[in-house]
Each structure stands twice: as structure tokens, then as C-alpha cells.
Amino acid sequence: MKVAVVGLGYAGLCTAACLGKKFEVVGVEVDGERVSKLNRGQAPIHEKGLPGLLKSGVARRVLSFTEDFGSVRGADFVFIAVGTPSKPDGSIDLSQVTSASAAIGRQLAKTKKRPVVVVKSTVTPGTATSVVKPSLEKESGKSCGEGFGLCSNPEFLREGAAIEDTLRPDRVILGPLDERSGRAMKSLYLRFYGRRSPPMVVTTPENAELIKYASNTFLATKISFINFIARICETLPGADVQEIAFGMGLDPRIGERFLQAGPGFGGACFPKDSRALSAFVWQRGIDNTLLRAVLEINDTQPDWIVSAVERALGRIEEKNIAILGVAFKEESDDVRESRAIVLARKLLNKRAILRITDPQALEGARKELGGDAKYFATAKDCIEGADAAIVMTAWKDFGILKARDFVALMRTPFVIDARRIYPVEEFRLGGVNLRAIGLGEA
Ligand code: UGA
């Protein structure tokens, strides 16, 4: 069984590396530097388990990478996993999907194989049917269901847990456009997962596409909701959002996960997908107030931190402010739409002297913020002489710091814990002026 994966971003690369455990996989990518790195078995992103899979797949010669689209011709399954970024108005930019579909179509014209083309990229409902299919048909001169198959198969992996999520997903969603593709995809996954196969839902392509958006925007809504509750807590002495999330989460209808208040959601998916669905429903004449509110809470969440700093320090200008963590979440080197970058820009606008640390994401931060900030390899170096320290990412490296470290190293031990990684009582007794997100103050 041969599989081609077009687009080696997070989802494409992790899918390719995992499928390489059982099948022969070729990854196709336009970025030549990435391709060479991958062919040497090196991971271009920080993702647990990925380096091992790449090394072993490349060494066993079952996993290879190329810039040449021609290599999709030998494949039984061709996964489209290219990016679907936001346009300036927030709506989805399908240009990479369109060009990948056309390029695959041109190769289909040159082969007798009848592969199943699989849409893994997150695309708005109707895209497989009205964008991918016509493009494949036009360029290949073949029709869907005869010359090739087509199936929507959205991805649910999380960065930082991408390999685990791919090897042990909660569910597989399949939206075939033709009967053979549904059967072929099911048997591909049965072979891949064996006896530990996850539940497979076979539905229409439109449902499959919308399941992805509904899932991501529901989780984003949960986060904005708990951040809204956190704001209420902050005005109520005696209130604590963590206790509230715990109490709510015991109700199985609500569930405890994704109720962690924080600086807001970032990353390549939740902000972009919430904007895309919001624009999509608006274009269809459906009110998008709900999604706009989710985004509005998220966009203004870093402002809480700025005001807390202002309340504690008076003016921000010329103050040394340490940001602990710029990755959009722990175990990741990704700073895309990270709230820490948003916060950093806000603080820089107020002329703060920024000191930044992150175990994995300093390179990304440098690309975003350049020479406007100072960068430090360790948290201890970063907080030295600082007037305020703000925890933006829940890295274990930061969790091991003690109250005495902040007291000894900072000019004034004022700490904002936007991820709730520090024990409040212990830190306060230890002399730290600690503000924790979602914790009411007298
Ligand atoms: C998300 C989804 O969780 C995946 O299922 C989906 O496949 C992926 O998007 C995608 O569409 O590709 P990801 O963005 O990697 O995955 O990361 P999450 O773990 O979902 O976290 C997103 C953001 O929400 C992070 O900034 C995180 O810190 C924040 N978050 C998460 C909270 O603030 N509170 C929580 O309780 C959970």
C-alpha cells in the first residue's frame, strides 16, 4: 500500500510519519529546505515522538520526501494536507488547496492508477464537493468515482500530542464522495489501527467538514466561556475559576477538559477556524454573534494582564517585564497566534523593556518580535532584575521555580500567573506579590 501526503506542515508531517509505521509513504512539499532536512531524518518541528518515527521510517526506506509532484502517481491514497490560512477578512484562503488539487489532477491524467484523494486540510463545508472535485476532474480529464476516488477525512490531532493523537485517535471521520472511497478508507484505517481501531463515522463530505469546524469552535467556545467566568471571579473576593471549573467539570454533560482559564487560545487552528466559520456563516446570512463573542473574549484576554501590570507598577514605560513562555502552549515551539506574542506587542507599545524566555520557541519569538525584546535561555536569567514576571505558557521548566527564586532574582517580586502553575498561598507566604488569572482579590 502506497500513500502520498501533499503538504508537510504539522498535520501532514505527523500523518506521514505515523502512516510510515505500516505503509510506504512519500511526503510532497514545496519547501526544498524542509524536504532535505526530512530526508536526513531530522524533524523540522518540536513534536514528541516525531524524531524517532522519522529516523526509523527514513532508515527503513518506507518514508521519503520530495518536491516532485510526480511521485503521487504511484500512490493508492493521496492525502491533501496543505495549509488553509485566513484571508485579511478572516474567511478561509483555499488557494493552497486549489493548487494542490490541480497539481494532483495533472498527475492523475498520467497514471492508470485510481487512487483515493483524501482531504485532510481543514476546509469549510462544501469544499471537497465544489472545489477539490471539479479541479481534480478538470485537470485529470477523469471523473470522480471512476478515474479516482475522493474522501473528506478531517484531522483532530493536537500539537504537542500529535503522534499520540494520530496513533490513538478518539474517532475517524470519513466523508466519501463515492462508494469505493468510503470502503477503501475504512480498510486503510482498519489495516493501520488493527484491533485497536477507533470508532469510524461514515457520513457526507459536508458533515465531515463541518464536524471539524464544530469541534474546534466548540472547544474554543469552552475556553472563552471559562475565561469569561475568570473575569467574573477576579471581581469577587473569595472566588476562584479553578474551583468553578472543577465543580462544573464533574457534570459529565460539561466535562472537565478545556476549562482551563488562561491568556486565551492561540495556535494555528482555533483562532483561524473560529474566524473562518464566522465568515462562512455570515456569508450565508446566518448571525455569527456567538463566534464573534468567542473571538472578542480571546482577543481582549491579554488586556487583563496589561491592566494587572499597570495596577501593580503604575507606569509600564521603562519597566523590565519578563515573559515566561511564548509558545502558544507547552510542549510546542509554535508561536502562531500565541497570546504571548500579542501581549508582548501590547507591552512594547507601552515602551516596556521586554525579557523573554521559552524552552523551545525563542527562535519563533525572535522572528515575530526581532530586536525589540531581550531573549534568555533560562527562566532564572529572564526574571533577573525584572519588575514583573508573567507566566504565559505552562512549561514544566517554569513550574519548578520556587517563590524564593522570584524573591531573590527580581527587582520587585511581582508575578502574574496566567496559567495557574504556582501554588498561591505558598508563593504569597514566600514573599511573592502573586496575581493569578481567575482568582478574586479583596
Ligand atoms: C486544536 C484541537 O485541539 C485539535 O483537536 C485540532 O486537530 C487542531 O486544533 C487542529 O485543528 O489542527 P491545537 O491547536 O494543537 O489543537 O492545541 P490545543 O491543545 O487545542 O490548544 C489550543 C489553545 O487553547 C492553546 O493556546 C491552549 O493553551 C489553549 N487552551 C486549551 C486553554 O487556554 N485552555 C484549555 O483548557 C485548553
Side-chain angles (χ1 to χ4, degrees), residues 40 80 97 129 144 225 232 235 255 266 280 345 349 353 390 437:
R40 291 196 298 271
I80 298 178
V97 173
T129 305
C144 177
F225 184 84
I232 303 175
T235 67
F280 178 80
R345 293 214 171 98
N349 277 341
I353 303 164
I390 308 165
I437 200 151

Side-chain angles (χ1 to χ4, degrees), residues 11 122 155-160 165 171 212 215-216 219 223 226-227 256-273 327-330 337-339 392 419:
T122 299
E155 181 51 64
F156 299 99
L157 61 80
R158 291 161 301 164
E159 289 188 22
D165 284 352
R171 78 286 210 196
K212 167 72 189 202
S215 302
N216 271 7
L219 293 170
I223 298 168
I226 203 67
N227 285 337
E256 61 179 350
R257 297 176 71 187
F258 278 70
L259 282 182
Q260 178 71 49
F265 53 79
C269 307
F270 286 176
K272 161 182 87 82
D273 294 347
F328 83 106
K329 67 172 181 182
E330 67 278 18
E337 306 239 11
S338 167
R339 297 297 95 186
M392 289 297 280
R419 292 287 187 175

Side-chain angles (χ1 to χ4, degrees), residues 12 16 56 75-76 84 98 102 115 135 158 195 203 218 246 323 341 357 365 378 402 414 429-430 435:
S56 99
D76 303 290
T84 49
T98 319
S135 169
R158 291 161 301 164
R195 271 181 294 138
T203 181
F218 184 77
F246 177 71
I323 295 186
I341 300 288
T357 187
T378 70
K402 299 279 179 240
F414 172 56
L429 286 172
R435 292 296 306 255

Side-chain angles (χ1 to χ4, degrees), residues 48-236:
K48 210 169 31 201
L50 181 64
L53 284 178
L54 284 177
K55 256 193 205 103
S56 99
V58 169
R60 288 183 293 119
R61 293 176 183 278
V62 290
L63 193 54
S64 62
F65 302 94
T66 177
E67 289 170 75
D68 177 14
F69 255 94
S71 55
V72 308
R73 284 205 296 272
D76 303 290
F77 294 87
V78 182
F79 284 76
I80 298 178
V82 294
T84 49
S86 295
K87 284 187 189 164
D89 68 354
S91 64
I92 191 168
D93 175 356
L94 286 171
S95 56
Q96 292 181 45
V97 173
T98 319
S99 54
S101 307
I104 294 166
R106 286 192 286 278
Q107 298 303 325
L108 290 179
K110 300 182 203 161
T111 178
K112 286 211 170 62
K113 269 192 161 311
R114 298 161 59 230
V116 176
V117 179
V118 185
V119 184
K120 265 249 163 264
S121 304
T122 299
V123 292
T124 38
T127 301
T129 305
S130 28
V131 176
V132 180
K133 182 178 159 211
S135 169
L136 290 169
E137 289 187 327
K138 178 171 167 252
E139 299 295 335
S140 66
K142 298 175 179 178
S143 63
C144 177
E146 284 166 24
F148 63 91
L150 183 56
C151 185
S152 166
N153 172 215
E155 181 51 64
F156 299 99
L157 61 80
R158 291 161 301 164
E159 289 188 22
I163 302 300
E164 173 65 20
D165 284 352
T166 308
L167 297 178
R168 273 170 284 279
D170 302 320
R171 78 286 210 196
V172 168
I173 305 288
L174 300 172
L177 279 86
D178 56 294
E179 223 184 299
R180 180 179 70 92
S181 294
R183 281 198 312 273
M185 286 300 290
K186 258 184 138 171
S187 75
L188 174 84
Y189 282 126
L190 283 172
R191 275 184 66 176
F192 184 67
Y193 291 114
R195 271 181 294 138
R196 293 207 299 192
S197 179
M200 291 199 212
V201 177
V202 182
T203 181
T204 64
E206 289 72 22
N207 283 339
E209 291 161 328
L210 191 49
I211 286 170
K212 167 72 189 202
Y213 275 99
S215 302
N216 271 7
T217 54
F218 184 77
L219 293 170
T221 304
K222 241 182 142 177
I223 298 168
S224 277
F225 184 84
I226 203 67
N227 285 337
F228 157 70
I229 298 295
R231 291 178 186 189
I232 303 175
C233 291
E234 281 148 24
T235 67
L236 277 177

